[in-house]
């Protein structure tokens, strides 16, 4: 199912790949297990520290309660809907990130029909489409997938800053979680390490973050403790 979704003809060439980088990508495709290494299982326990703004994910039974309500997003995404925006630039990497995201959504109970995917030319185009999807009212969350590689461009900073600021704006200006799944790396090798290689798959992590944030916003809104999407 995932492979079928990824069988998309890419007509925009990405930067030239060294044979080493191509081999690394092939190895990642052939070895599926690294994609699994980052998943949080639904049985993972969560604790929220009242002294820290961060919700900590721990395999722990410790509970830390604040005086009022404590909200923690679930990582079970059944019945939730998500949008994915993917940059075609460096698609050797972004297709692997997308594959990680789709696998991760499936593992966390999100139905394949509940995921829409939009392709854009490069990471600089992620903000517009993710914001439009976030404001559509159709999604619990949107994830942005891209790979910006410093070695490949002199306008690395411009693309990274544009994507980062734009995605932040998409989420704060919509009230819908828009998750940053954009790799910013010095080399293609570092990017592939994070796209199913030895450092895991950041696309998969972005999907879990979207489920957790979508669930958190749903529960806080249901309790009247967060504003509806705006
Ligand atoms: N887009 C990327 O997603 N990654 C890159 O590494 C990159 N480089 O190297 O330039 C890149 N550039 C294209 C950019 O995102 C826009 O598509 C383009 O500038 C048109 O707006």
């Amino acid at each position: 199912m995932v492979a079928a979704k990824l069988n998309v003809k890419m007509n925009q060439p990405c930067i030239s790949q060294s044979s080493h980088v191509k081999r690394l990508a092939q190895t990642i495709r052939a070895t599926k297990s690294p994609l699994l290494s980052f998943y949080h299982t639904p049985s993972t326990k969560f604790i929220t520290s009242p002294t820290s703004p961060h919700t900590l994910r721990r395999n722990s039974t410790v509970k830390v309660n604040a005086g009022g309500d404590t909200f923690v997003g679930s990582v079970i995404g059944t019945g939730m809907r998500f949008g994915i925006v993917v940059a075609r630039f460096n698609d050797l990497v972004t297709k692997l990130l997308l594959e990680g995201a789709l696998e991760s959504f499936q593992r966390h109970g999100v139905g394949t029909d509940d995921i829409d995917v939009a392709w854009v030319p490069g990471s600089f185009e992620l903000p517009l489409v993710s914001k439009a999807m976030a404001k559509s009212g159709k999604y619990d969350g949107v994830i942005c997938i891209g790979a910006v590689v410093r070695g490949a461009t002199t306008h690395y900073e411009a693309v990274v800053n544009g994507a980062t600021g734009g995605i932040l704006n998409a989420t704060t200006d919509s009230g819908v979680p828009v998750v940053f799944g954009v790799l910013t790396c010095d080399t293609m090798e570092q990017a592939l390490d994070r796209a199913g290689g030895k450092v895991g798959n950041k696309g998969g992590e972005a999907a879990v973050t979207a489920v957790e944030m979508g669930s958190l916003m749903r529960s806080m809104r249901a309790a009247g403790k967060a504003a509806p999407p705006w």
Side-chain angles (χ1 to χ4, degrees):
M1 185 80 71
V2 170
K5 278 198 177 252
L6 290 172
N7 193 16
V8 179
K9 270 265 175 291
M10 293 299 145
N11 53 14
Q12 176 170 316
C14 62
I15 62 162
S16 65
Q17 313 293 337
S18 74
S19 58
H20 170 65
V21 161
K22 278 185 186 150
R23 263 201 312 281
L24 191 51
Q26 280 161 4
T27 308
I28 292 168
R29 284 203 189 90
T31 316
K32 283 291 190 180
S33 54
L35 286 172
L36 307 180
S37 62
F38 55 85
Y39 292 118
H40 307 292
T41 65
S43 63
T44 300
K45 300 282 189 296
F46 292 84
I47 60 170
T48 305
S49 164
T51 56
S52 158
H54 304 295
T55 298
L56 307 172
R57 292 175 187 151
R58 294 275 188 277
N59 289 314
S60 160
T61 54
V62 175
K63 286 206 174 86
V64 183
N65 293 317
D69 292 331
T70 298
F71 296 96
V72 181
S74 154
V75 289
I76 299 168
T78 311
M80 300 175 83
R81 290 189 54 89
F82 293 95
I84 305 177
V85 193
V86 200
R88 244 182 355 249
F89 205 101
N90 288 332
D91 67 9
L92 185 75
V93 175
T94 60
K95 279 195 257 183
L96 291 166
L97 293 170
L98 174 60
E99 189 174 80
L102 292 173
E103 284 191 16
S104 190
F105 274 137
Q106 282 180 25
R107 282 178 181 278
H108 289 268
V110 181
T112 49
D113 290 344
D114 291 329
I115 304 166
D116 295 328
V117 178
W119 287 87
V120 294
S123 295
F124 196 79
E125 283 72 41
L126 293 169
L128 171 64
V129 179
S130 61
K131 185 166 173 172
M133 289 177 101
K135 288 195 157 203
S136 71
K138 299 228 181 277
Y139 304 103
D140 288 279
V142 178
I143 67 176
C144 294
I145 289 177
V148 194
V149 180
R150 186 187 292 274
T153 179
T154 50
H155 66 298
Y156 172 91
E157 267 84 17
V159 175
V160 170
N161 293 340
T164 309
I167 291 168
L168 180 64
N169 173 270
T171 197
T172 54
D173 199 45
S174 65
V176 172
V178 180
V179 178
F180 189 78
V182 180
L183 297 180
T184 56
C185 298
D186 287 336
T187 65
M188 279 299 280
E189 189 166 355
Q190 287 172 355
L192 287 166
D193 282 346
R194 289 155 182 77
K198 60 188 180 203
V199 191
N201 188 311
K202 299 296 171 190
E205 290 181 16
V208 182
T209 299
V211 173
E212 181 183 337
M213 286 297 295
S215 155
L216 177 66
M217 296 312 290
R218 270 194 189 202
S219 60
M220 293 186 74
R221 283 170 176 147
K225 299 248 168 141
W230 45 92

